[in-house]
Amino acid sequence: KTFSDLLAEHATARPDRVALVDPANREAITDGPARRLTWGEVQTEVHRLARALYRCGVRKDDVVGVQLPNTVELAVIYLATASVGAIACSFPVQYARHELTQMGNLAGLAAFVTVTRANKSALADQAMTLRESIPTLHSVLAWGQAVPDGAVVLDDELENEAQDQEFVAYR
């Protein structure tokens, strides 16, 4: 069974049961209020995020950099990346441009998912500078307020109900 299979089973068996919970102090860590997602909501967000990744060109076996604080989005991006058949490459929020560039080049990052702010670090701004030094990096996606120009605004993109005709979750 894949992660996608397990998520579908839980979303079907217990759609209204709480599955993911943000830390109570989320607003001190990053933008947005703390959230509690049910299994049904997690499945919806995973599908929407997988489609957003697909629209940005992420395909099977692509490597997606992930630099997020410990919030519900972290679990959602892992599941969405797996459903596209891509590989999530996690980076601690403390990593700066030097570490991200070195490791991003070694991993061959195709896309990078982050937030505009983690504590006092401007992660989305930093991620945008990586496109200059990681030739394989074609897309930066970010949640939060004041997403930099050129990055995909995930708060908006996830509201996009478009059904991508080509997209089929990887199994």
Side-chain angles (χ1 to χ4, degrees), residues 32-46:
R35 300 189 305 152
R36 299 171 66 84
L37 299 180
T38 65
W39 283 108
E41 291 167 333
V42 169
Q43 185 176 44
T44 297
E45 287 208 15
V46 166

Side-chain angles (χ1 to χ4, degrees), residues 6-19 37-43:
L6 294 171
L7 174 58
E9 285 177 14
H10 279 17
T12 299
R14 48 187 76 75
D16 297 326
R17 187 181 233 169
V18 174
L37 299 180
T38 65
W39 283 108
E41 291 167 333
V42 169
Q43 185 176 44

